[in-house]
Amino acid sequence: MQTTKFYNGNEMPVLGLGTFRVENSDECKEAVKHAIISGYRSIDTAMIYENEAKVGEGIAEGLAATGLDRSDLFVTSKLWLADYGRNNVEQAYETSLEKLGLDYLDLYLMHWPGTDEALMIDTWKGMEDLYKADKVKNIGVSNFTPQHLEALLAQVSIKPVINQVEFHPYLTQNELRRYLEVQGIVAESWSPLMNAQILEDELVKEIATEVGKTPAQVIIRWNIQNDVVVIPKSVTPSRIEENLAVFDFELTEEQITKLNNLNEDKRIGPDPNEFTGQ
Ligand SMILES: NC(=O)c1ccc[n+]([C@@H]2O[C@H](COP(=O)([O-])OP(=O)(O)OC[C@H]3O[C@@H](n4cnc5c(N)ncnc54)[C@H](OP(=O)(O)O)[C@@H]3O)[C@@H](O)[C@H]2O)c1
């Protein structure tokens, strides 16, 4: 599996499995297990998805079925807004680990910036505490704008390794991605398939025909060629496999530019400047 390197020298697979809106059920466990057996090495969950227990079972069964070690996998979870505040971070982290049945995470993210800048910065200090105590391999953020990052970086000592944000051809986040590149922070996309909506776009379908791949594969490949880590969600075994089969073709510069030009700054998720988690 191709990886991207963080500024701290650690690496992360460029492609992983998303698990948002997957209930804490056997379907969740089977999806994670199938992904690992198929070749996925990165799994993304969050406390607020309420599925960490079944994600953890899927990880355990996937490892058992493949003979892989825990260290062969990259597992991400996220700290929810209700647990913000430096003194709450460790407890929330331990709760996630317990549910997942793991003794460390590869990546722990602050899920949203929230609307209270002082609390955002205080919470990051709790993330730094975890990292400095060697309890987590990497710490990062999600849904931060350049303005949130500027405020954060002015007052903390450890830079996030990654920022996971909504990203698809209708929301290409050009200003944010330029900022992250300058800072050496990796960009990661959520809802890369726009919850399957982007698969109906005529240009996406046209390029898929040109390259002999599916629309989803084109979009996943477009993320990777844009240096954006991508975590498409699927609970469908055939789609889990389809979404991984993106390393045997390349999009041309022209195809990438055409997809980039679909940008409409259109979000399907909340505005990070306003979202409070309520
Ligand atoms: N940090 C954040 O705030 C945040 C927010 C949202 C999401 N995320 C993360 O990002 C991940 C991905 O985003 P997402 O789940 O919102 O949406 P997504 O990956 O853009 O789309 C998922 C949808 O696309 C369908 N799909 C997947 N592969 C397909 C294929 N090859 N062909 C046709 N349809 C396909 C899935 O259906 P089936 O499952 O039925 O196959 C599902 O309905 C999440 O799961 C989560 O881990 C993070």
Side-chain angles (χ1 to χ4, degrees):
M1 170 61 74
Q2 194 179 317
T3 59
T4 188
K5 201 173 229 177
F6 297 142
Y7 75 82
N8 65 7
N10 294 337
E11 293 179 39
M12 175 179 189
V14 296
L15 171 59
L17 181 76
T19 64
F20 184 36
R21 296 193 198 92
V22 184
E23 278 182 25
N24 195 41
S25 62
D26 282 349
E27 181 180 58
C28 176
K29 179 183 78 177
E30 292 301 328
V32 171
K33 179 181 173 184
H34 187 73
I36 295 170
I37 292 171
S38 303
Y40 284 72
R41 296 293 174 259
S42 169
I43 310 289
D44 182 275
T45 183
M47 184 286 244
I48 201 68
Y49 303 169
E50 297 182 333
N51 61 12
E52 289 171 307
K54 288 290 175 182
V55 167
E57 285 181 26
I59 289 173
E61 292 192 13
L63 291 181
T66 53
L68 291 169
D69 290 329
R70 162 70 184 91
S71 59
D72 295 319
L73 286 189
F74 190 100
V75 183
T76 303
S77 192
K78 314 186 191 86
L79 176 72
W80 189 241
L81 289 146
D83 292 318
Y84 278 15
R86 185 174 190 166
N87 296 330
N88 300 327
V89 176
E90 185 169 352
Q91 181 57 57
Y93 180 70
E94 295 294 342
T95 303
S96 280
L97 286 184
E98 199 175 308
K99 287 190 177 150
L100 282 158
L102 300 176
D103 52 14
Y104 71 90
L105 285 181
D106 296 279
L107 179 62
Y108 199 39
L109 303 177
M110 277 179 66
H111 208 143
W112 289 88
T115 51
D116 178 341
E117 187 177 296
L119 182 60
M120 173 186 87
I121 290 163
D122 187 58
T123 304
W124 183 255
K125 290 182 176 165
M127 302 286 282
E128 291 181 329
D129 294 339
L130 275 186
Y131 183 70
K132 286 181 191 157
D134 240 355
K135 294 190 169 166
V136 61
K137 300 276 182 206
N138 300 285
I139 49 173
V141 295
S142 180
N143 299 302
F144 277 43
T145 64
Q147 293 69 37
H148 292 119
L149 284 162
E150 277 294 282
L152 187 78
L153 296 182
Q155 295 195 52
V156 302
S157 59
I158 301 174
K159 204 163 53 168
V161 294
I162 202 164
N163 186 16
Q164 183 184 111
V165 297
E166 184 180 343
F167 174 77
H168 41 68
Y170 295 168
L171 180 70
T172 55
Q173 303 267 23
N174 296 333
E175 183 206 347
L176 175 63
R177 284 194 297 133
R178 267 194 301 274
Y179 179 83
L180 294 177
E181 197 181 346
V182 169
Q183 288 294 341
I185 298 173
V186 171
E188 178 177 20
S189 62
W190 62 252
S191 292
L193 307 179
M194 220 183 154
N195 250 311
Q197 286 175 52
I198 199 69
L199 309 180
E200 299 306 320
D201 181 274
E202 286 307 318
L203 175 68
V204 175
K205 289 200 271 190
E206 191 183 302
I207 293 177
T209 305
E210 279 170 25
V211 297
K213 287 283 182 179
T214 66
Q217 289 169 328
V218 165
I219 296 301
I220 294 164
R221 185 74 213 174
W222 171 78
N223 274 260
I224 293 169
Q225 287 187 231
N226 267 317
D227 294 323
V228 178
V229 171
V230 60
I231 46 167
K233 171 262 175 185
S234 179
V235 292
T236 313
S238 59
R239 288 176 176 169
I240 290 173
E241 292 167 32
E242 175 188 328
N243 295 347
L244 186 65
V246 296
F247 296 102
D248 58 353
F249 77 108
E250 277 194 14
L251 299 171
T252 63
E253 280 304 318
E254 192 188 347
Q255 288 164 335
I256 289 178
T257 304
K258 278 186 184 169
L259 290 169
N260 290 346
N261 289 342
L262 288 178
N263 184 42
E264 297 172 7
D265 292 332
K266 180 176 171 182
R267 290 184 188 280
I268 56 167
D271 181 340
N273 285 314
E274 291 164 9
F275 189 65
T276 62
Q278 300 301 318

Short mmCIF file of all heavy atoms in Angstrom, two decimals, residues 109-159:
data_model
loop_
_atom_site.label_atom_id
_atom_site.label_comp_id
_atom_site.label_asym_id
_atom_site.label_seq_id
_atom_site.Cartn_x
_atom_site.Cartn_y
_atom_site.Cartn_z
N LEU A 109 -7.63 12.43 16.13
CA LEU A 109 -7.95 13.75 15.57
C LEU A 109 -8.91 14.52 16.46
O LEU A 109 -9.84 13.93 17.03
CB LEU A 109 -8.64 13.59 14.20
CG LEU A 109 -7.91 12.82 13.11
CD1 LEU A 109 -8.79 12.72 11.85
CD2 LEU A 109 -6.59 13.51 12.76
N MET A 110 -8.73 15.84 16.55
CA MET A 110 -9.79 16.70 17.08
C MET A 110 -10.83 16.79 15.97
O MET A 110 -10.52 17.24 14.86
CB MET A 110 -9.24 18.10 17.39
CG MET A 110 -8.56 18.20 18.74
SD MET A 110 -7.92 19.88 19.04
CE MET A 110 -9.43 20.85 19.14
N HIS A 111 -12.07 16.36 16.26
CA HIS A 111 -13.05 16.15 15.17
C HIS A 111 -13.49 17.45 14.48
O HIS A 111 -13.72 17.47 13.27
CB HIS A 111 -14.26 15.40 15.75
CG HIS A 111 -14.99 14.56 14.76
ND1 HIS A 111 -15.55 13.35 15.07
CD2 HIS A 111 -15.25 14.74 13.43
CE1 HIS A 111 -16.12 12.83 13.99
NE2 HIS A 111 -15.96 13.68 12.99
N TRP A 112 -13.66 18.51 15.25
CA TRP A 112 -14.05 19.82 14.70
C TRP A 112 -13.34 20.91 15.49
O TRP A 112 -13.01 20.68 16.67
CB TRP A 112 -15.58 20.04 14.82
CG TRP A 112 -16.37 19.18 13.90
CD1 TRP A 112 -16.82 17.91 14.14
CD2 TRP A 112 -16.80 19.50 12.57
NE1 TRP A 112 -17.49 17.43 13.04
CE2 TRP A 112 -17.50 18.38 12.07
CE3 TRP A 112 -16.67 20.63 11.75
CZ2 TRP A 112 -18.06 18.36 10.79
CZ3 TRP A 112 -17.23 20.60 10.48
CH2 TRP A 112 -17.92 19.48 10.00
N PRO A 113 -13.18 22.09 14.91
CA PRO A 113 -12.55 23.17 15.69
C PRO A 113 -13.46 23.71 16.80
O PRO A 113 -12.96 24.19 17.81
CB PRO A 113 -12.27 24.25 14.64
CG PRO A 113 -13.18 23.94 13.49
CD PRO A 113 -13.40 22.45 13.51
N GLY A 114 -14.80 23.63 16.59
CA GLY A 114 -15.72 24.27 17.54
C GLY A 114 -15.70 25.78 17.34
O GLY A 114 -14.99 26.30 16.48
N THR A 115 -16.47 26.49 18.15
CA THR A 115 -16.58 27.94 17.97
C THR A 115 -15.90 28.70 19.11
O THR A 115 -16.00 29.92 19.18
CB THR A 115 -18.06 28.36 17.87
OG1 THR A 115 -18.76 27.78 18.98
CG2 THR A 115 -18.68 27.89 16.57
N ASP A 116 -15.22 27.99 19.99
CA ASP A 116 -14.56 28.64 21.13
C ASP A 116 -13.04 28.43 20.94
O ASP A 116 -12.52 27.34 21.18
CB ASP A 116 -15.05 27.96 22.43
CG ASP A 116 -14.39 28.50 23.67
OD1 ASP A 116 -13.31 29.12 23.56
OD2 ASP A 116 -14.95 28.29 24.77
N GLU A 117 -12.38 29.50 20.47
CA GLU A 117 -10.97 29.37 20.11
C GLU A 117 -10.09 28.96 21.31
O GLU A 117 -9.18 28.14 21.18
CB GLU A 117 -10.47 30.69 19.52
CG GLU A 117 -9.07 30.58 18.97
CD GLU A 117 -8.63 31.88 18.31
OE1 GLU A 117 -9.25 32.29 17.30
OE2 GLU A 117 -7.66 32.48 18.82
N ALA A 118 -10.38 29.53 22.47
CA ALA A 118 -9.56 29.19 23.66
C ALA A 118 -9.71 27.71 24.00
O ALA A 118 -8.73 27.03 24.34
CB ALA A 118 -10.00 30.06 24.84
N LEU A 119 -10.92 27.20 23.88
CA LEU A 119 -11.16 25.78 24.17
C LEU A 119 -10.47 24.90 23.13
O LEU A 119 -9.90 23.85 23.45
CB LEU A 119 -12.67 25.50 24.20
CG LEU A 119 -13.08 24.06 24.53
CD1 LEU A 119 -12.58 23.64 25.91
CD2 LEU A 119 -14.61 23.90 24.46
N MET A 120 -10.49 25.35 21.89
CA MET A 120 -9.82 24.60 20.81
C MET A 120 -8.33 24.45 21.13
O MET A 120 -7.76 23.36 21.04
CB MET A 120 -10.02 25.36 19.49
CG MET A 120 -9.27 24.82 18.30
SD MET A 120 -9.47 25.91 16.86
CE MET A 120 -8.12 27.08 17.11
N ILE A 121 -7.72 25.54 21.54
CA ILE A 121 -6.28 25.52 21.81
C ILE A 121 -5.98 24.70 23.08
O ILE A 121 -5.05 23.89 23.12
CB ILE A 121 -5.75 26.97 21.91
CG1 ILE A 121 -5.79 27.59 20.51
CG2 ILE A 121 -4.33 27.01 22.51
CD1 ILE A 121 -5.69 29.08 20.47
N ASP A 122 -6.81 24.88 24.09
CA ASP A 122 -6.64 24.11 25.33
C ASP A 122 -6.74 22.61 25.04
O ASP A 122 -5.96 21.81 25.56
CB ASP A 122 -7.73 24.55 26.32
CG ASP A 122 -7.53 23.93 27.69
OD1 ASP A 122 -6.46 24.14 28.29
OD2 ASP A 122 -8.45 23.22 28.15
N THR A 123 -7.70 22.25 24.21
CA THR A 123 -7.89 20.83 23.86
C THR A 123 -6.68 20.28 23.12
O THR A 123 -6.22 19.17 23.39
CB THR A 123 -9.17 20.67 22.99
OG1 THR A 123 -10.26 21.23 23.71
CG2 THR A 123 -9.45 19.22 22.67
N TRP A 124 -6.15 21.08 22.19
CA TRP A 124 -4.95 20.62 21.46
C TRP A 124 -3.80 20.35 22.44
O TRP A 124 -3.01 19.42 22.25
CB TRP A 124 -4.54 21.63 20.38
CG TRP A 124 -3.37 21.10 19.61
CD1 TRP A 124 -2.07 21.50 19.70
CD2 TRP A 124 -3.37 20.02 18.66
NE1 TRP A 124 -1.26 20.74 18.88
CE2 TRP A 124 -2.04 19.83 18.23
CE3 TRP A 124 -4.37 19.20 18.14
CZ2 TRP A 124 -1.69 18.84 17.30
CZ3 TRP A 124 -4.03 18.22 17.22
CH2 TRP A 124 -2.70 18.05 16.80
N LYS A 125 -3.72 21.15 23.50
CA LYS A 125 -2.65 20.91 24.49
C LYS A 125 -2.83 19.53 25.14
O LYS A 125 -1.85 18.85 25.45
CB LYS A 125 -2.62 22.04 25.52
CG LYS A 125 -2.10 23.32 24.86
CD LYS A 125 -1.97 24.49 25.79
CE LYS A 125 -1.37 25.67 25.02
NZ LYS A 125 -1.52 26.94 25.72
N GLY A 126 -4.08 19.10 25.31
CA GLY A 126 -4.33 17.75 25.81
C GLY A 126 -3.90 16.70 24.79
O GLY A 126 -3.40 15.62 25.15
N MET A 127 -4.09 16.99 23.51
CA MET A 127 -3.62 16.09 22.44
C MET A 127 -2.09 16.00 22.48
O MET A 127 -1.51 14.92 22.36
CB MET A 127 -4.07 16.61 21.06
CG MET A 127 -5.57 16.78 20.88
SD MET A 127 -6.46 15.23 20.70
CE MET A 127 -6.12 14.83 18.99
N GLU A 128 -1.46 17.15 22.69
CA GLU A 128 0.01 17.17 22.79
C GLU A 128 0.48 16.34 23.99
O GLU A 128 1.48 15.62 23.90
CB GLU A 128 0.52 18.61 22.96
CG GLU A 128 0.36 19.47 21.73
CD GLU A 128 0.91 20.88 21.94
OE1 GLU A 128 0.87 21.39 23.08
OE2 GLU A 128 1.37 21.47 20.96
N ASP A 129 -0.25 16.43 25.09
CA ASP A 129 0.11 15.64 26.29
C ASP A 129 0.14 14.15 25.94
O ASP A 129 1.07 13.44 26.32
CB ASP A 129 -0.90 15.87 27.43
CG ASP A 129 -0.88 17.29 27.96
OD1 ASP A 129 0.15 17.99 27.76
OD2 ASP A 129 -1.88 17.71 28.58
N LEU A 130 -0.89 13.69 25.23
CA LEU A 130 -0.97 12.27 24.84
C LEU A 130 0.23 11.87 23.98
O LEU A 130 0.81 10.82 24.15
CB LEU A 130 -2.21 12.02 23.97
CG LEU A 130 -3.56 11.76 24.58
CD1 LEU A 130 -4.54 11.42 23.46
CD2 LEU A 130 -3.51 10.64 25.60
N TYR A 131 0.53 12.75 23.03
CA TYR A 131 1.62 12.47 22.07
C TYR A 131 2.96 12.45 22.80
O TYR A 131 3.78 11.55 22.60
CB TYR A 131 1.59 13.54 20.98
CG TYR A 131 2.61 13.35 19.88
CD1 TYR A 131 2.50 12.31 18.96
CD2 TYR A 131 3.69 14.23 19.75
CE1 TYR A 131 3.43 12.14 17.95
CE2 TYR A 131 4.62 14.08 18.73
CZ TYR A 131 4.49 13.03 17.84
OH TYR A 131 5.41 12.87 16.82
N LYS A 132 3.15 13.44 23.68
CA LYS A 132 4.43 13.51 24.40
C LYS A 132 4.60 12.32 25.34
O LYS A 132 5.71 11.88 25.59
CB LYS A 132 4.50 14.82 25.21
CG LYS A 132 4.75 16.04 24.35
CD LYS A 132 4.84 17.28 25.25
CE LYS A 132 4.81 18.56 24.44
NZ LYS A 132 4.37 19.71 25.23
N ALA A 133 3.48 11.79 25.84
CA ALA A 133 3.54 10.63 26.75
C ALA A 133 3.64 9.33 25.95
O ALA A 133 3.59 8.24 26.53
CB ALA A 133 2.31 10.61 27.64
N ASP A 134 3.75 9.44 24.62
CA ASP A 134 3.91 8.26 23.75
C ASP A 134 2.70 7.34 23.76
O ASP A 134 2.83 6.13 23.53
CB ASP A 134 5.13 7.44 24.23
CG ASP A 134 6.16 7.34 23.12
OD1 ASP A 134 5.85 7.81 22.02
OD2 ASP A 134 7.23 6.75 23.37
N LYS A 135 1.52 7.92 24.03
CA LYS A 135 0.32 7.07 24.08
C LYS A 135 -0.33 6.95 22.71
O LYS A 135 -1.14 6.07 22.48
CB LYS A 135 -0.67 7.66 25.08
CG LYS A 135 -0.12 7.57 26.49
CD LYS A 135 -1.12 7.91 27.55
CE LYS A 135 -0.54 7.52 28.90
NZ LYS A 135 -1.22 8.04 30.04
N VAL A 136 0.01 7.86 21.80
CA VAL A 136 -0.58 7.87 20.46
C VAL A 136 0.55 8.14 19.47
O VAL A 136 1.48 8.89 19.78
CB VAL A 136 -1.70 8.93 20.38
CG1 VAL A 136 -1.20 10.34 20.64
CG2 VAL A 136 -2.43 8.87 19.05
N LYS A 137 0.45 7.52 18.28
CA LYS A 137 1.56 7.66 17.32
C LYS A 137 1.56 9.04 16.64
O LYS A 137 2.62 9.58 16.34
CB LYS A 137 1.44 6.59 16.23
CG LYS A 137 1.50 5.17 16.76
CD LYS A 137 2.91 4.69 16.95
CE LYS A 137 2.92 3.26 17.44
NZ LYS A 137 4.11 2.91 18.19
N ASN A 138 0.35 9.55 16.35
CA ASN A 138 0.25 10.83 15.63
C ASN A 138 -1.00 11.57 16.08
O ASN A 138 -2.01 10.93 16.38
CB ASN A 138 0.14 10.60 14.11
CG ASN A 138 1.33 9.85 13.55
OD1 ASN A 138 2.41 10.43 13.39
ND2 ASN A 138 1.16 8.56 13.27
N ILE A 139 -0.92 12.90 16.09
CA ILE A 139 -2.11 13.71 16.42
C ILE A 139 -2.39 14.69 15.27
O ILE A 139 -1.47 15.22 14.65
CB ILE A 139 -1.95 14.46 17.76
CG1 ILE A 139 -0.61 15.20 17.84
CG2 ILE A 139 -2.11 13.50 18.93
CD1 ILE A 139 -0.47 16.10 19.08
N GLY A 140 -3.68 14.87 15.03
CA GLY A 140 -4.07 15.76 13.94
C GLY A 140 -5.41 16.40 14.22
O GLY A 140 -5.97 16.28 15.31
N VAL A 141 -5.91 17.10 13.20
CA VAL A 141 -7.18 17.81 13.34
C VAL A 141 -8.09 17.47 12.17
O VAL A 141 -7.66 16.85 11.18
CB VAL A 141 -6.96 19.35 13.41
CG1 VAL A 141 -6.19 19.73 14.67
CG2 VAL A 141 -6.26 19.87 12.17
N SER A 142 -9.33 17.89 12.30
CA SER A 142 -10.31 17.66 11.25
C SER A 142 -11.19 18.90 11.15
O SER A 142 -11.54 19.49 12.19
CB SER A 142 -11.15 16.42 11.59
OG SER A 142 -12.09 16.17 10.58
N ASN A 143 -11.52 19.27 9.94
CA ASN A 143 -12.43 20.40 9.68
C ASN A 143 -11.87 21.75 10.12
O ASN A 143 -12.62 22.67 10.43
CB ASN A 143 -13.78 20.14 10.37
CG ASN A 143 -14.45 18.90 9.83
OD1 ASN A 143 -14.70 18.81 8.64
ND2 ASN A 143 -14.71 17.92 10.69
N PHE A 144 -10.54 21.88 10.14
CA PHE A 144 -9.92 23.16 10.47
C PHE A 144 -9.72 23.97 9.19
O PHE A 144 -9.27 23.44 8.17
CB PHE A 144 -8.57 22.95 11.18
CG PHE A 144 -8.68 22.69 12.67
CD1 PHE A 144 -9.64 21.83 13.19
CD2 PHE A 144 -7.80 23.31 13.56
CE1 PHE A 144 -9.74 21.60 14.56
CE2 PHE A 144 -7.89 23.08 14.94
CZ PHE A 144 -8.86 22.22 15.44
N THR A 145 -10.02 25.25 9.25
CA THR A 145 -9.72 26.17 8.15
C THR A 145 -8.31 26.73 8.37
O THR A 145 -7.74 26.58 9.47
CB THR A 145 -10.72 27.35 8.16
OG1 THR A 145 -10.50 28.08 9.38
CG2 THR A 145 -12.17 26.88 8.09
N PRO A 146 -7.76 27.43 7.38
CA PRO A 146 -6.45 28.06 7.60
C PRO A 146 -6.48 29.00 8.82
O PRO A 146 -5.51 29.10 9.56
CB PRO A 146 -6.21 28.85 6.31
CG PRO A 146 -6.97 28.08 5.27
CD PRO A 146 -8.20 27.57 5.98
N GLN A 147 -7.63 29.66 9.05
CA GLN A 147 -7.73 30.59 10.17
C GLN A 147 -7.66 29.84 11.50
O GLN A 147 -6.98 30.29 12.44
CB GLN A 147 -9.03 31.40 10.08
CG GLN A 147 -9.11 32.36 8.88
CD GLN A 147 -9.21 31.68 7.51
OE1 GLN A 147 -9.86 30.65 7.34
NE2 GLN A 147 -8.53 32.26 6.52
N HIS A 148 -8.34 28.70 11.59
CA HIS A 148 -8.23 27.89 12.81
C HIS A 148 -6.78 27.44 13.04
O HIS A 148 -6.27 27.48 14.16
CB HIS A 148 -9.11 26.63 12.72
CG HIS A 148 -10.58 26.90 12.71
ND1 HIS A 148 -11.40 26.56 11.66
CD2 HIS A 148 -11.38 27.48 13.63
CE1 HIS A 148 -12.64 26.92 11.94
NE2 HIS A 148 -12.65 27.48 13.13
N LEU A 149 -6.14 27.02 11.96
CA LEU A 149 -4.76 26.52 12.09
C LEU A 149 -3.81 27.64 12.47
O LEU A 149 -2.91 27.45 13.29
CB LEU A 149 -4.32 25.83 10.79
CG LEU A 149 -4.94 24.44 10.61
CD1 LEU A 149 -4.85 23.97 9.17
CD2 LEU A 149 -4.27 23.42 11.54
N GLU A 150 -4.01 28.82 11.90
CA GLU A 150 -3.15 29.97 12.25
C GLU A 150 -3.25 30.26 13.74
O GLU A 150 -2.25 30.46 14.42
CB GLU A 150 -3.61 31.23 11.49
CG GLU A 150 -3.07 31.34 10.10
CD GLU A 150 -1.56 31.53 10.05
OE1 GLU A 150 -1.10 32.66 10.29
OE2 GLU A 150 -0.86 30.53 9.78
N ALA A 151 -4.48 30.28 14.25
CA ALA A 151 -4.69 30.56 15.68
C ALA A 151 -4.03 29.48 16.53
O ALA A 151 -3.39 29.76 17.55
CB ALA A 151 -6.19 30.64 15.98
N LEU A 152 -4.17 28.24 16.09
CA LEU A 152 -3.61 27.12 16.85
C LEU A 152 -2.08 27.18 16.85
O LEU A 152 -1.44 27.12 17.91
CB LEU A 152 -4.08 25.80 16.21
CG LEU A 152 -3.73 24.54 16.97
CD1 LEU A 152 -4.70 24.36 18.15
CD2 LEU A 152 -3.83 23.31 16.07
N LEU A 153 -1.51 27.32 15.65
CA LEU A 153 -0.06 27.23 15.54
C LEU A 153 0.65 28.37 16.29
O LEU A 153 1.78 28.22 16.73
CB LEU A 153 0.36 27.22 14.06
CG LEU A 153 -0.14 26.00 13.27
CD1 LEU A 153 0.35 26.05 11.82
CD2 LEU A 153 0.28 24.69 13.92
N ALA A 154 -0.06 29.48 16.46
CA ALA A 154 0.53 30.61 17.18
C ALA A 154 0.72 30.29 18.66
O ALA A 154 1.51 30.95 19.35
CB ALA A 154 -0.35 31.85 17.01
N GLN A 155 0.00 29.30 19.16
CA GLN A 155 0.01 29.10 20.62
C GLN A 155 0.38 27.70 21.09
O GLN A 155 0.28 27.41 22.28
CB GLN A 155 -1.37 29.44 21.18
CG GLN A 155 -1.69 30.91 21.00
CD GLN A 155 -2.85 31.32 21.85
OE1 GLN A 155 -2.86 31.07 23.05
NE2 GLN A 155 -3.84 31.94 21.24
N VAL A 156 0.76 26.81 20.17
CA VAL A 156 1.07 25.44 20.60
C VAL A 156 2.47 25.05 20.13
O VAL A 156 3.07 25.75 19.32
CB VAL A 156 0.02 24.43 20.08
CG1 VAL A 156 -1.37 24.81 20.55
CG2 VAL A 156 0.07 24.33 18.56
N SER A 157 2.96 23.93 20.63
CA SER A 157 4.34 23.56 20.26
C SER A 157 4.41 22.43 19.25
O SER A 157 5.42 22.25 18.59
CB SER A 157 5.14 23.20 21.52
OG SER A 157 4.53 22.12 22.19
N ILE A 158 3.33 21.63 19.13
CA ILE A 158 3.36 20.52 18.18
C ILE A 158 2.31 20.76 17.10
O ILE A 158 1.13 20.98 17.40
CB ILE A 158 3.09 19.17 18.90
CG1 ILE A 158 4.16 18.93 19.98
CG2 ILE A 158 3.08 18.02 17.89
CD1 ILE A 158 3.92 17.71 20.83
N LYS A 159 2.76 20.69 15.86
CA LYS A 159 1.87 20.92 14.72
C LYS A 159 1.07 19.65 14.43
O LYS A 159 1.61 18.55 14.52
CB LYS A 159 2.79 21.24 13.53
CG LYS A 159 2.19 22.03 12.44
CD LYS A 159 3.24 22.64 11.52
CE LYS A 159 4.25 21.68 10.96
NZ LYS A 159 5.05 22.28 9.88
#
